[in-house]
Amino acid sequence: MSPKRLEGLRLQAFMVPIGVVFAVLFAIPLAQSLYFSVTDFNGYSTKVNFVGLENYRKIFTDPSMLAGLGFTLLYAIGTTVIVTVLAIPLAVLLNRRFFGRNVVRAVFFFPAIPSIAILGLVWAFILSPLGSGAINWLLDAVGGFGPVPWLSDGTLAQLSVIMVAVWSSTGWHAILYLAYLQAIPGDYYEAARVDGASARQAFFRITLPLLAPAVTVSSLLLMTGGLKVYDLPYTLTKGGPGYATFTITQSIIQSGIAQAKFGQASALAVVFMLVVGAIVALQLVLSRRLEGRLS
C-alpha cells in the first residue's frame, strides 16, 4: 500500500469517533423523532398506531404551541438585537484605559457566571408583582407608586424575561467583542488620527468592519441559545401568565412528559428543528453578506 493511501486511511480513521458520536447523539434520535411524530406513541405503552400527519395538524391548532413558537421567536430575535447593540459600545468602553478597568470588566462579566435558572429565581423575587417585590417596594418607598404587575401582565412578563436575559448576557458578549478589539492593530487608529478622522469615523470605518466576524459568532450564539431557551422563562414565570412566556422547549417537555403525548411532542420537535435550521441558515447568509460589505 502506498504511503499516500495509508495516510488517507489514517485520516479516515480519525473520523470514525466523530461519526459514531454524530450517529448516537443526532442521527438516531432524529430518526426516532421522525418515526414517533407520525404515531400515537405515549412514551409508555409498547402499542403504537400510525396516525400520519395528525400530530402535525394538532401543532398548528394548539394555542399553547403557537404561543410558545411566537414567544420563542420574539425572545431569540429580541435578545440577539438588544445584546448586540449594547455589547459592542460596552466593549469599546472597556477597551479604554481607566482606573479599575479590570474590576469593571469583572463586574460586567459576573452575571454570566451563575446558572441562568438561579438568576431566574432571584429575579422572580425582584420582579414580583406583589408589593413585597424588591422593585415594587422601592417604587413605593421612593414615589408611592402602586405595585407594577411585572410578571402578571402578559406584555410586561415578556419584556421582563427579555430584560433579564439581556442583563445576564450583555457582559459576556462584550468580553467576546473585547477579545476581537484587542486583536486590532493600534497602527490603524494612529493612521486614522493622522488623516484627521474623528472617533465616530474610526469606529464605523475601522472598528465595526473588523468586528464583523465577532458579530457573526456572537449573534449565532445568541440566536441558537434563544431558540432553545427553557430555564429562564420557566423559573421566572413558569410560562405565564397564560401562555405569554411559554417556549417551544417547555411545550415539548410538557406535551411529551406531563401529558404523555410523545408523538405530538416529537412532531413539534421536528418542526422546531426545521425552523431553527432555516433561521440559522438565513442568519449565516446575512452575516456573511454583512461581513462582505463592511470589509
Side-chain angles (χ1 to χ4, degrees):
M1 184 180 294
S2 64
K4 186 175 181 180
R5 173 79 173 173
L6 183 61
E7 183 67 20
L9 291 176
R10 289 175 179 174
L11 292 176
Q12 292 176 6
F14 278 109
M15 298 297 294
V16 172
I18 299 176
V20 172
V21 172
F22 176 81
V24 172
L25 298 182
F26 182 78
I28 295 176
L30 176 60
Q32 290 178 327
S33 296
L34 288 171
Y35 168 71
F36 290 134
S37 70
V38 293
T39 68
D40 62 352
F41 182 52
N42 60 13
Y44 304 100
S45 175
T46 56
K47 184 179 180 181
V48 178
N49 298 313
F50 178 78
V51 296
L53 300 178
E54 179 64 19
N55 289 324
Y56 292 92
R57 185 191 66 78
K58 291 180 179 179
I59 290 175
F60 296 102
T61 57
D62 189 324
S64 65
M65 294 185 180
L66 293 176
L69 178 60
F71 177 69
T72 300
L73 293 176
L74 174 65
Y75 176 93
I77 296 173
T79 53
T80 300
V81 173
I82 298 174
V83 170
T84 302
V85 170
L86 295 178
I88 293 178
L90 178 60
V92 173
L93 292 175
L94 295 178
N95 195 40
R96 296 179 178 177
R97 296 183 180 275
F98 57 88
F99 178 75
R101 179 176 63 174
N102 291 335
V103 175
V104 175
R105 289 177 178 177
V107 169
F108 278 104
F109 184 75
F110 174 77
I113 297 176
S115 167
I116 194 66
I118 300 298
L119 292 179
L121 294 174
V122 172
W123 275 96
F125 166 73
I126 296 174
L127 294 170
S128 173
L130 302 177
S132 58
I135 293 182
N136 281 338
W137 176 86
L138 182 62
L139 291 174
D140 182 63
V142 172
F145 297 100
V148 179
W150 299 106
L151 303 179
S152 58
D153 176 80
T155 302
L156 287 178
Q158 292 178 342
L159 293 176
S160 297
V161 172
I162 293 174
M163 181 273 294
V164 174
V166 169
W167 173 83
S168 65
S169 304
T170 299
W172 190 94
H173 287 269
I175 299 301
L176 173 65
Y177 286 117
L178 180 62
Y180 278 83
L181 281 174
Q182 293 179 340
I184 299 176
D187 296 342
Y188 292 174
Y189 297 101
E190 291 292 338
R193 279 193 290 268
V194 170
D195 291 338
S198 63
R200 179 179 177 276
Q201 289 173 324
F203 175 78
F204 284 101
R205 298 296 180 86
I206 299 175
T207 305
L208 194 57
L210 294 178
L211 280 182
V215 174
T216 300
V217 173
S218 175
S219 61
L220 183 62
L221 291 174
L222 286 166
M223 183 63 71
T224 53
L227 289 172
K228 65 181 182 181
V229 67
Y230 169 75
D231 41 9
L232 177 60
Y234 184 77
T235 55
L236 191 58
T237 64
K238 297 294 188 297
Y243 296 121
T245 58
F246 214 62
T247 62
I248 287 293
T249 48
Q250 184 177 350
S251 183
I252 292 173
I253 293 172
Q254 179 172 302
S255 299
I257 299 176
Q259 300 177 2
K261 298 178 180 178
F262 203 89
Q264 191 170 333
S266 297
L268 180 59
V270 171
V271 172
F272 184 50
M273 182 195 68
L274 295 176
V275 171
V276 171
I279 292 176
V280 171
L282 177 62
Q283 182 186 11
L284 287 175
V285 171
L286 295 177
S287 298
R288 295 304 181 188
R289 289 184 178 180
L290 178 62
E291 288 183 28
R293 290 182 179 181
L294 292 177
S295 60

